[in-house]
Amino acid sequence: MPILVMKFGGTSVATLDRIHRASKRVAREVANGYDVIVIVSAMSGRTNELVGWVEETSPLFDAREYDAVVSSGENVTAGLMALRLQEMDVPARSWQGWQVPVKTSGVHSAARIRDIPNDNIMAKFGEGMRVAVVAGFQGIADDGRITTLGRGGSDTTAVAFAAAFNAERCDIYTDVDGVYTTDPRISDKARKLDRIAFEEMLELASLGAKVLQTRSVELAMRYKVKLRVLSSFEEYDPEAGTLVCDEEDIVESKVVAGVAYQRDEAKMTLISVADRPGIASAIFTPLAEAGVNVDMIVQNISEEGRTDMTFSCPVDQVARAEKAMTDAKARGDINFHDIVADKDVAKVSVVGIGMRSHTGIAAKMFDVLSKEGINIKVITTSEIKISVLIDRKYMELAVQALHDAFELEKA
């Protein structure tokens, strides 16, 4: 039988009633002729509770035991959903990561999936099982220890299973009914997209859209897994949600697909840096080693052998970045006059695969912001994205103005 992968996030399985509701959706797909692999998250709030218990018990915890504890939330959900399906006369079994097995690297709390052999589950399908309820977010390392994949790891688990089992589709059930042209909380004109290309979704995910985890979109794009994002709280509709697919599967797309934002950004500038070969490496290597997530980078024109280097990073990483730069200066690796941090900025981006073949998008974006009196501090571009750094107080205004200017409310 064809295989369908269905993933239910924490809010979709937050209570026994919601697990029952999700189980009915699974049973419907079984009735439609699918063998189903269900990937489940822990019940909403349970992972945070487990993390809190670990930190309270052992502030300097052993990462291997952290994974053993934190992964248990998904095990509970998987067992409960299998029981619920059995009560509905659907042949179902729960599977923990090690039972499949989901083989991962040994980096605890941030493991990466290496392989998912399909023999065990396929054998059980052959024996009459119709649903395998798999605990997401977890796997097993070469040494036999339980690992976890990091936040959002259940999305990645679901896509990896869809690729490993050559599933017809991977349905991601969340508390939203699809992917929107922008955050509906900011613009009441935000429109749900019927389809979006992998590349567009990857950019939106990396720019702060919380609908899908970035690694899951990367996997889907690499293995051509069709993803559908839909709500677990709405009535059944086979055409519901947003399909994330190949660009070729979209008949005609708008030039700009969406407007994304990241609110908590900071702009940091090293003033009067000695301009010499290797200076960029001398700056950004210690930042990377300190775990600072650098995004936008701008270097000014050099004058008399000195230049300014500006970059953006999450605002909660400013202190870490300042220490990394100060330490590098003390070691003599770099020389600069001062380091200035602006913690009151936000990043706003327009994204669309249509930008590849259309000119004037950047000019239009800058003109819209200019007419709203919004000053641009930093600009970066890629083939399908233009991002600007602006004062945070203008973020919502910028998103609304750009959404209107590119008429994203129109299909």
Side-chain angles (χ1 to χ4, degrees):
M1 290 188 180
I3 291 176
L4 183 67
V5 174
M6 303 172 73
K7 181 261 176 179
F8 292 92
T11 54
S12 301
V13 291
T15 64
L16 292 178
D17 182 63
R18 290 186 181 180
I19 289 175
H20 186 191
R21 186 185 183 99
S23 298
K24 287 197 289 186
R25 290 183 180 273
V26 176
R28 183 181 290 113
E29 298 298 356
V30 170
N32 287 339
Y34 289 102
D35 281 338
V36 182
I37 298 173
V38 180
I39 309 297
V40 292
S41 297
M43 299 168 80
S44 184
R46 182 53 56 88
T47 300
N48 288 338
E49 181 182 43
L50 293 169
V51 170
W53 287 353
V54 170
E55 292 174 342
E56 185 177 340
T57 302
S58 175
L60 300 175
F61 54 77
D62 181 329
R64 293 165 296 185
E65 300 308 329
Y66 171 94
D67 278 359
V69 173
V70 173
S71 63
S72 65
E74 281 72 17
N75 298 342
V76 172
T77 311
L80 290 172
M81 181 172 282
L83 287 171
R84 184 67 255 175
L85 286 163
Q86 290 173 9
E87 289 294 312
M88 299 164 65
D89 294 325
V90 177
R93 279 287 173 213
S94 66
W95 297 72
Q96 296 178 20
W98 64 270
Q99 293 174 297
V100 175
V102 179
K103 299 180 180 180
T104 74
S105 64
V107 183
H108 288 276
S109 79
R112 301 188 80 85
I113 296 174
R114 288 178 172 168
D115 187 28
I116 303 178
N118 61 20
D119 312 42
N120 290 342
I121 287 180
M122 289 303 293
K124 291 300 180 184
F125 279 144
E127 294 171 9
M129 180 185 72
R130 299 300 308 279
V131 180
V133 187
V134 180
F137 173 66
Q138 62 178 249
I140 186 169
D142 291 341
D143 63 1
R145 300 295 309 185
I146 292 170
T147 58
T148 63
L149 309 181
R151 290 291 186 174
S154 292
D155 282 356
T156 304
T157 304
V159 175
F161 267 83
F165 285 80
N166 195 27
E168 186 174 299
R169 193 179 65 247
C170 179
D171 288 348
I172 306 287
Y173 285 87
T174 69
D175 53 2
V176 296
D177 61 347
V179 180
Y180 279 74
T181 50
T182 196
D183 189 338
R185 295 171 298 181
I186 287 184
S187 173
D188 57 8
K189 296 181 182 178
R191 175 177 58 85
K192 185 175 71 67
L193 297 165
D194 292 327
R195 295 186 175 217
I196 187 170
F198 287 125
E199 288 179 87
E200 293 171 325
M201 190 66 245
L202 186 58
E203 290 285 8
L204 290 174
S206 67
L207 290 167
K210 307 296 184 186
V211 179
L212 284 173
Q213 200 254 5
T214 307
R215 276 168 61 194
S216 69
V217 183
E218 290 173 344
L219 265 181
M221 184 163 64
R222 186 186 312 163
Y223 293 104
K224 308 298 184 186
V225 173
K226 286 187 177 181
L227 286 175
R228 189 171 63 153
V229 181
L230 63 171
S231 172
S232 59
F233 302 109
E234 296 197 344
E235 293 303 316
Y236 176 76
D237 179 356
E239 302 301 319
T242 299
L243 187 68
V244 187
C245 55
D246 257 339
E247 183 178 341
E248 291 76 26
D249 294 329
I250 301 174
V251 177
E252 186 175 351
S253 61
K254 293 177 73 72
V255 177
V256 173
V259 181
Y261 66 89
Q262 285 181 316
R263 186 185 305 273
D264 297 320
E265 291 287 296
K267 178 171 75 76
M268 305 194 68
T269 303
L270 294 176
I271 297 174
S272 190
V273 182
D275 192 10
R276 57 174 174 78
I279 188 62
S281 175
I283 292 171
F284 294 108
T285 297
L287 287 170
E289 291 172 347
V292 177
N293 185 18
V294 173
D295 183 19
M296 310 168 87
I297 302 172
V298 175
Q299 182 177 355
N300 289 346
I301 295 173
S302 177
E303 291 186 12
E304 299 179 0
R306 313 294 290 186
T307 188
D308 295 342
M309 186 77 78
T310 297
F311 61 90
S312 68
C313 68
V315 72
D316 60 1
Q317 296 180 7
V318 168
R320 199 183 306 171
E322 289 175 334
K323 185 178 187 305
M325 293 295 90
T326 303
D327 290 350
K329 183 178 181 180
R331 292 193 302 267
D333 296 342
I334 55 176
N335 179 272
F336 57 89
H337 179 265
D338 197 8
I339 182 167
V340 177
D342 181 353
K343 300 180 183 180
D344 199 26
V345 297
K347 180 168 66 175
V348 176
S349 310
V350 295
V351 175
I353 53 176
M355 291 164 61
R356 288 195 186 115
S357 54
H358 287 74
T359 60
I361 305 303
K364 182 173 183 177
M365 180 179 185
F366 303 153
D367 182 57
V368 169
L369 296 177
S370 172
K371 288 176 178 176
E372 296 292 345
I374 301 172
N375 184 46
I376 299 172
K377 297 174 179 286
V378 179
I379 303 167
T380 59
T381 65
S382 73
E383 195 177 26
I384 66 166
K385 175 193 72 179
I386 304 167
S387 296
V388 296
L389 215 57
I390 61 175
D391 286 330
R392 191 174 300 146
K393 64 183 178 181
Y394 295 123
M395 187 198 75
E396 293 193 10
L397 174 62
V399 170
Q400 292 167 350
L402 291 168
H403 195 277
D404 289 347
F406 288 105
E407 300 183 325
L408 300 187
E409 72 278 4
K410 298 179 181 178

